[in-house]
Amino acid sequence: MAERCAVIGVGQTKHASCRADVSIAGLVREAVDRALESAHTTMTEIDAIVIGKAPDMLEGVMMPELYLVDALAAAGKPVFRVHTAGSVGGATAIVACQHVTSGVHRRVLTIGFEKQSDGNAMWALSVPLPFGMPVHAGAGGYFSPIIRSYIKRSGAPGHIGCMVAVKDRTNACKNPYAHLHEPDWTLEKAMESPMLWDPVRMIETCPSSDGAIALVLANESIADAHDGPKAWVHATAMRSEPTQFAGRNQVSPKASEDCAADLWRKAGITSPIEEIDAVEMYVPFAWFEPMWLESLGFAPKDQGWRYVEDGVTEMSGRLPVNCSGGVLSTNPIGASGMLRFGEAAMQVMRTAGEHQVDGVRKAFGHAYGGGSQFFAMWVVGADKP
Amino acid sequence: MSEDVLRIRTPIGIHYRYSAGPNASSHLRGLMEGKFIGKRCPSCTLVYMPPRSTCAKCGVLLGEDVEVGPKGTITTFCIVNVAFLGQTIKIPYVAATILIDGADLGMQHLIQECETSDVRMGMRVEPVWKPREEWQPSLANITHFRPTGEPDADFDSFSGQL
Amino acid sequence: MRDVAIIASAQMANVSTTTATPVEMLLPVINEALANAGMSRADIGFWCHGSCDYMTGQPFSFVMAVDALGAWPPIIESHVEADGAFALYEAWLKIQAGEAETALVFGNGRSSSGDINRTLSLQLDPYVVAPLWPDDRSIAAIQARACLEAGVVTSRQMAAVAVRNHRNAQSNPNALRSGSYSVEGLLDAEVVADPLRALDCPAHADGVTAVILASADTARRLSTRPAWIRGIDHRIDTQNLGNRSMTTLPSAIVAAHKAGVGNDKVDVAELHAPFTHQELLLTAALGLTDATNINPSGGALCANPMMSAGLARLAEAASRIINGTADRAVGHASSGPWMQQNLVCVLEGE
């Protein structure tokens, strides 16, 4: 029997397109200090640090955890670095969790960050390689054909993406840390937003942010003694599949379906929509909300868009999705996945403030990356698993 | 009193040498002759064009060369309306996934010589090559694909590729 | 703690440069490791990879490595932006947590893609040190100079380290550099970054290492003599070059203590010390004596494939347990300037 693990502290920065007021170290410390404070602990009591971020080329620093040692007072401790593409924030939280469940470490600090404004993200993500044909379409150009496939397959009406976007941008206004605070969106206005990567409109895309998040994870005896809110980790799961092979389902990759099935099994959940009270899902393009609702087993195949249309995923709905505003409102790549995991924990800990959903007992955190091929998920709950 | 230094600029430059790898070489040599050379997976027998090092599903090196195309079918696409750093293509333009005839895996390329609003899933297209004297071992030898005017492919014939 | 062992490994013969893609480099080594363990892909419960985008010159470069894994149906897999030895640590935790019974861990790097000495500068403080572009060899030379001035090492000892490693590498078919040298001969050689001579510096290489871990039942079923992991720990030091000891390795001392290096005799130690003076500092930090056979493979001095060289040390140490030539071995991996980060693994036979 593995050790139990609980989140006992969550801290994040104010996210913005450019946090020129802090260095990389300063940004990370802002989140770490808040996480330690909420866990009523100090760096001295941390046994190990697990850091995740997306490509080092985003800031131009190779393995920045090496330089961050002083800022984290980490000298003499284990510092571990994870990188699994866009899912990295989720994968990092899971690796940190296993530092605890293995029984090897007792109190672990985990951090996800990105300071995209320090480098040139567009350059870093599209280093020109020889031999191929550069179509210069970016992430939107990669994912929009997949969204087109979903629309064709499911028969979803064209306004679903905008409905998701308006919901997330509106939710973000209740989250003081969110990057975008745009209270005035309406569906009508959203439908006039320019098509960047037809069928994807500008409002349906995520911003580029500077930001960091840190979680403090603890074993059972420490969590039991902790005098404050906590979220028990009920289950974690990860799956990967290759980027390209003949006959690959890119709308609902098998790795996503397998990962979710494994997670629900480990967490003892038979009906996700009945048993999960709040969802923090990785939705960098609005159309991915209905796509993931189906792939993860919250909605039947080709019906995810109806849940959006019927308001099921609104904050007041049956399955609130991304009450924090989600990736559509805040996207420091290396932190985005851990923000989903951390926001799910905050819902369970009842520390989400204005975007708190009432009565959350179990919440779901989700991240994905690469060409929809790397998946990381967890379920956290108010009760011990 | 001098102002605080908030930001400094420290440009980074590193030169890299990339390898196409032995497995992609026949494909690249084919492009120098105006041909599409794909590779067949010895395990599942599906044809990769452009070839990768392995059949990722089977986890084996790809095997024999197979000439495919040159025509193909648009399986899905997007209309790009956003200007990128270093972008040389005039917007709006269509970036499409094209399933080359005889291949089992789509590749990304550009669609031109028609209105962006006329591009459809299932549309039949053919490559337009640069002048031969400009050819390099690169898929960029093809400036774009254009409609052939043939009837569209049936959705079911390529829906397994989405 | 669960009993976990290294049961098999494989390495690519290190080369100074290759035209193969990372996937083409990885595939045969992964297949060989599986064959050596008598396992198939379906027997692997967890895959963990160590590599570095700045080595390959491409963001998300590890993504294509999945093409070498036959990841269908989808697999449980993770990646560290670090040496494969850290991927092994993650896999070990995963097995300890009861989430897997077997793991295939691999590290790969193509140091030849870029200018390795220059690329490594990007590991330094981005605001005040990296913009000066101090190359890796010069940074190491500063440390070597400090050690010589402090009397912690001598030029003669450094030359003897080079002589021994190059002699040992003659019997390692995977080594990139080897040869028969004398201390006097080396002391007469030109300095390339004073006080370092060419053979004080690592032979940067393109390479791959794969290692297979298994929990007790599987290990005993598949191996007649598994290399049991009796202790594993990693620690980090400050990177502030003006604020850390140049003549000791505090993080290695702690990691060695936590891993239990000193609890018994050490027959063999495989140390990831890229420069000769660093091997001397590390030997002292680990408390090793003349009774230990250090770097029978020739070590990182004779082949230093970035992101694979540390895992290769663990594989070399394990192979000596597995083949019965040692009963207790230490494998070590390092990362960062002046061996800022150190991982120590103690392996034993039964």
Side-chain angles (χ1 to χ4, degrees):
Chain A
M1 178 64 197
E3 225 350 296
R4 290 193 173 97
C5 175
V7 180
I8 60 165
V10 181
Q12 61 184 294
T13 60
K14 168 64 189 163
H15 309 285
S17 60
C18 178
R19 286 292 308 269
D21 58 319
V22 284
S23 62
I24 296 171
L27 186 78
V28 169
R29 266 302 286 270
E30 191 173 310
V32 167
D33 286 350
R34 287 174 181 159
L36 293 172
E37 194 187 336
S38 78
H40 309 157
T41 190
T42 63
M43 273 314 297
T44 317
E45 294 186 306
I46 296 294
D47 298 330
I49 300 167
V50 183
I51 303 184
K53 69 174 298 298
D56 291 357
M57 288 171 184
L58 283 176
E59 288 91 358
V61 188
M62 175 179 171
M63 303 176 177
E65 60 280 5
L66 297 174
Y67 130 79
L68 286 170
V69 168
D70 277 359
L72 295 171
K77 295 183 196 292
V79 170
F80 195 88
R81 165 69 192 281
V82 180
H83 180 18
T84 64
S87 61
V88 63
T92 304
I94 291 176
V95 173
C97 182
Q98 280 160 3
H99 273 63
V100 174
T101 57
S102 62
V104 175
H105 302 278
R106 302 165 66 242
R107 198 186 272 104
V108 174
L109 175 70
T110 185
I111 304 162
F113 77 92
E114 207 71 68
K115 200 157 189 295
Q116 284 172 235
S117 72
D118 269 15
N120 183 330
M122 208 60 101
W123 172 84
L125 297 178
S126 56
V127 174
L129 299 177
F131 317 124
M133 175 62 196
V135 296
H136 296 298
Y142 186 88
F143 289 109
S144 115
I146 299 173
I147 290 166
R148 182 179 296 277
S149 301
Y150 171 72
I151 295 171
K152 167 98 179 165
R153 209 184 249 188
S154 67
H159 62 270
I160 296 297
C162 286
M163 283 190 75
V164 172
V166 170
K167 167 182 69 79
D168 284 5
R169 293 281 161 83
T170 306
N171 286 348
C173 297
K174 299 187 175 109
N175 174 2
Y177 299 108
H179 172 181
L180 298 179
H181 282 150
E182 299 174 351
D184 299 326
W185 283 104
T186 60
L187 182 58
E188 294 66 37
K189 209 169 124 190
M191 291 296 286
E192 286 161 21
S193 167
M195 282 287 188
L196 292 191
W197 294 277
D198 193 342
V200 172
R201 292 180 191 276
M202 189 168 180
I203 188 184
E204 296 166 2
T205 66
C206 54
S208 168
S209 318
D210 287 355
I213 173 161
L215 310 177
V216 178
L217 304 177
N219 70 7
E220 187 171 7
S221 63
I222 290 171
D224 279 342
H226 173 61
D227 177 23
K230 61 200 94 169
W232 294 95
V233 179
H234 284 211
T236 66
M238 283 172 75
R239 284 296 184 284
S240 307
E241 72 180 46
T243 320
Q244 280 195 315
F245 56 85
R248 176 164 186 249
N249 183 340
Q250 298 190 77
V251 174
S252 181
K254 184 164 166 54
S256 164
E257 296 176 357
D258 287 4
C259 191
D262 190 28
L263 184 80
W264 303 138
R265 183 186 57 76
K266 286 185 194 161
I269 286 175
T270 50
S271 172
I273 185 132
E274 298 292 338
E275 296 172 64
I276 295 293
D277 305 311
V279 169
E280 281 286 337
M281 189 190 274
Y282 203 96
V283 179
F285 297 96
W287 279 97
F288 273 87
E289 180 175 300
M291 287 162 66
W292 292 142
L293 284 174
E294 295 174 24
S295 184
L296 296 167
F298 288 109
K301 189 165 184 285
D302 297 337
Q303 302 299 309
W305 63 268
R306 292 186 195 274
Y307 284 48
V308 175
E309 193 161 52
D310 296 344
V312 172
T313 60
E314 299 268 350
M315 227 182 111
S316 55
R318 183 176 164 206
L319 185 77
V321 174
N322 293 334
C323 300
S324 65
V327 183
L328 280 177
S329 307
T330 305
N331 186 32
I333 299 178
S336 286
M338 199 181 292
L339 281 164
R340 308 283 70 71
F341 278 50
E343 286 281 353
M346 285 161 62
Q347 288 290 343
V348 167
M349 296 158 86
R350 310 197 176 193
T351 56
E354 265 196 82
H355 65 281
Q356 178 70 49
V357 177
D358 286 341
V360 175
R361 304 298 299 173
K362 287 182 188 174
F364 167 72
H366 167 263
Y368 83 95
S372 294
Q373 63 186 124
F374 301 112
F375 297 87
M377 307 174 188
W378 80 4
V379 170
V380 285
D383 301 318
K384 271 191 199 179
Chain B
M1 274 292 285
S2 58
E3 282 185 44
D4 289 347
V5 177
L6 281 180
R7 314 205 86 183
I8 54 168
R9 202 178 134 74
T10 58
I12 290 167
I14 306 176
H15 291 279
Y16 286 101
R17 291 176 296 275
Y18 293 103
S19 289
N23 242 42
S25 295
S26 50
H27 159 68
L28 295 172
R29 279 193 288 268
L31 291 171
M32 292 296 283
E33 295 167 14
K35 291 179 189 166
F36 290 154
I37 307 291
K39 272 189 179 292
R40 190 184 300 281
C41 170
S43 174
C44 67
T45 75
L46 296 176
V47 174
Y48 282 71
M49 167 63 210
R52 302 167 70 86
S53 297
T54 58
C55 173
K57 201 171 172 178
C58 301
V60 296
L61 287 175
L62 291 173
E64 60 165 331
D65 293 344
V66 182
E67 187 171 351
V68 294
K71 291 181 188 172
T73 300
I74 296 176
T75 58
T76 184
F77 64 96
C78 80
I79 302 168
V80 181
N81 241 322
V82 57
F84 271 93
L85 190 76
Q87 186 170 283
T88 51
I89 313 154
K90 190 168 165 288
I91 56 171
Y93 63 90
V94 172
T97 305
I98 300 165
L99 185 64
I100 300 293
D101 293 350
D104 297 292
L105 183 72
M107 66 174 194
Q108 282 242 310
H109 219 292
L110 305 174
I111 307 298
Q112 294 191 340
E113 297 188 43
C114 67
E115 294 299 318
T116 56
S117 55
D118 288 341
V119 176
R120 303 174 298 277
M121 291 166 87
M123 185 183 239
R124 297 281 298 155
V125 291
E126 64 187 5
V128 177
W129 294 79
K130 278 183 187 168
R132 185 173 281 264
E133 57 274 17
E134 294 175 28
W135 285 359
Q136 301 282 327
S138 167
L139 267 178
N141 287 357
I142 297 151
T143 59
H144 61 276
F145 282 69
R146 68 179 171 208
T148 63
E150 296 165 274
D152 285 2
D154 186 37
F155 181 66
D156 290 339
S157 70
F158 61 85
S159 62
Q161 298 296 331
L162 298 174
Chain C
M1 288 287 105
R2 304 181 74 194
D3 285 335
V4 178
I6 294 176
I7 59 166
S9 66
Q11 291 178 55
M12 180 180 125
N14 286 286
V15 291
S16 55
T17 183
T18 173
T19 56
T21 63
V23 174
E24 288 160 350
M25 290 164 70
L26 283 167
L27 188 71
V29 178
I30 286 171
N31 286 340
E32 189 185 333
L34 287 166
N36 288 345
M39 296 171 89
S40 70
R41 288 179 152 73
D43 297 326
I44 299 298
F46 178 57
W47 302 73
C48 203
H49 178 200
S51 74
C52 171
D53 281 349
Y54 268 113
M55 290 290 124
T56 319
Q58 199 179 337
F60 301 115
S61 57
F62 62 91
V63 171
M64 59 186 160
V66 177
D67 282 6
L69 309 183
W72 193 262
I75 56 172
I76 303 174
E77 180 262 356
S78 191
H79 173 260
V80 297
E81 193 81 355
D83 189 286
F86 290 86
L88 184 142
Y89 187 79
E90 182 176 334
W92 177 75
L93 288 177
K94 194 105 176 171
I95 297 174
Q96 290 300 338
E99 299 241 354
E101 299 302 320
T102 56
L104 193 151
V105 172
F106 58 105
N108 72 304
R110 262 183 66 180
S111 307
S112 70
S113 294
D115 177 346
I116 180 83
N117 274 318
R118 196 170 157 90
T119 307
L120 287 171
S121 308
L122 297 177
Q123 287 186 332
L124 300 161
D125 181 312
Y127 302 100
V128 294
V129 187
L132 305 172
W133 287 104
D135 67 274
D136 182 53
R137 200 166 62 181
S138 302
I139 294 272
I142 291 170
Q143 185 187 34
R145 168 65 61 205
C147 292
L148 287 168
E149 298 284 329
V152 176
V153 303
T154 66
S155 299
R156 181 162 285 276
Q157 286 174 319
M158 288 166 62
V161 167
V163 168
R164 171 172 41 73
N165 278 294
H166 286 84
R167 185 181 64 230
N168 289 351
Q170 288 177 313
S171 54
N172 176 5
N174 294 326
L176 179 59
R177 205 168 64 190
S178 64
S180 184
Y181 300 97
S182 70
V183 169
E184 271 66 30
L186 289 191
L187 288 173
D188 283 343
E190 261 184 82
V191 288
V192 292
D194 198 354
L196 299 174
R197 298 175 168 84
L199 296 189
D200 289 315
C201 306
H204 286 298
D206 295 353
V208 178
T209 303
V211 167
I212 294 180
L213 298 184
S215 60
D217 289 351
T218 312
R220 290 208 171 84
R221 181 164 54 79
L222 292 172
S223 169
T224 49
R225 193 175 152 84
W228 299 103
I229 297 174
R230 295 301 186 209
I232 183 166
D233 194 275
H234 66 91
R235 301 282 152 168
I236 201 163
D237 287 309
T238 174
Q239 191 189 69
N240 189 329
L241 299 182
N243 190 32
R244 68 167 270 197
S245 161
M246 287 192 261
T247 56
T248 60
L249 300 171
S251 64
I253 293 170
V254 178
H257 175 70
K258 297 276 180 186
V261 172
N263 295 351
D264 204 344
K265 57 151 193 163
V266 177
D267 299 324
V268 169
E270 280 283 343
L271 308 180
H272 183 201
F275 295 87
T276 51
H277 69 281
Q278 292 179 337
E279 188 187 298
L280 294 163
L281 293 183
L282 187 62
T283 306
L286 268 50
L288 301 175
T289 66
D290 290 345
T292 299
N293 180 5
I294 292 174
N295 285 343
S297 70
L301 199 61
C302 295
N304 191 33
M306 295 301 295
M307 308 303 134
S308 165
L311 183 60
R313 303 282 72 72
L314 271 56
E316 290 284 351
S319 73
R320 279 165 179 83
I321 304 281
I322 291 168
N323 72 16
T325 54
D327 291 322
R328 194 163 188 270
V330 169
H332 162 269
S334 69
S335 173
W338 295 352
M339 299 180 69
Q340 187 192 348
Q341 196 173 17
N342 292 281
L343 179 148
V344 176
C345 180
V346 174
L347 298 158
E348 288 178 8
E350 270 180 337

